[in-house]
Amino acid sequence: MEITNVRITKNSSILKDSKIRGFVSITIDNAIAVNGIRLIEGKKGMFLSFPDRKNKNGNEYVDIAFPINNEARNAITEAVLNAYKE
């Protein structure tokens, strides 16, 4: 799996009172796009929150897209953090 494109939208006027540092879109293997990833600054550092939505009852969130294993999560996180630092 190769992360072939990372786009981060930073809007400081909207995000100034938030822990969200940007909204991320990635492309995997020039074939699959995942939008709606949030880059969040937590107490232990930066992390990614993958897209989710409320379930039918509206009482809990269900993941829409997410890495299935740690290897994939680490590769995506590394690519996003490198793009964020640029």
Side-chain angles (χ1 to χ4, degrees):
M1 177 186 83
E2 181 184 356
I3 309 304
T4 51
N5 189 24
V6 176
R7 287 177 293 143
I8 301 175
T9 303
K10 304 178 205 176
N11 188 332
S12 57
S13 63
I14 294 173
L15 304 175
K16 67 180 177 183
D17 295 328
S18 173
K19 292 183 180 186
I20 298 173
R21 295 296 167 246
F23 296 97
V24 181
S25 297
I26 63 170
T27 304
I28 301 169
D29 294 331
N30 283 322
I32 298 171
V34 179
N35 300 318
I37 301 170
R38 294 173 303 280
L39 179 60
I40 300 174
E41 186 171 354
K43 291 181 180 180
K44 296 181 181 180
M46 302 285 257
F47 68 93
L48 299 179
S49 175
F50 286 85
D52 55 16
R53 63 177 171 80
K54 285 189 176 182
N55 67 2
K56 290 180 183 179
N57 299 329
N59 58 1
E60 66 181 51
Y61 285 90
V62 179
D63 291 331
I64 295 172
F66 55 92
I68 294 178
N69 57 46
N70 282 336
E71 180 181 324
R73 179 176 296 279
N74 292 340
I76 294 168
T77 300
E78 181 180 343
V80 170
L81 291 178
N82 286 340
Y84 182 76
K85 290 175 185 176
E86 291 179 0

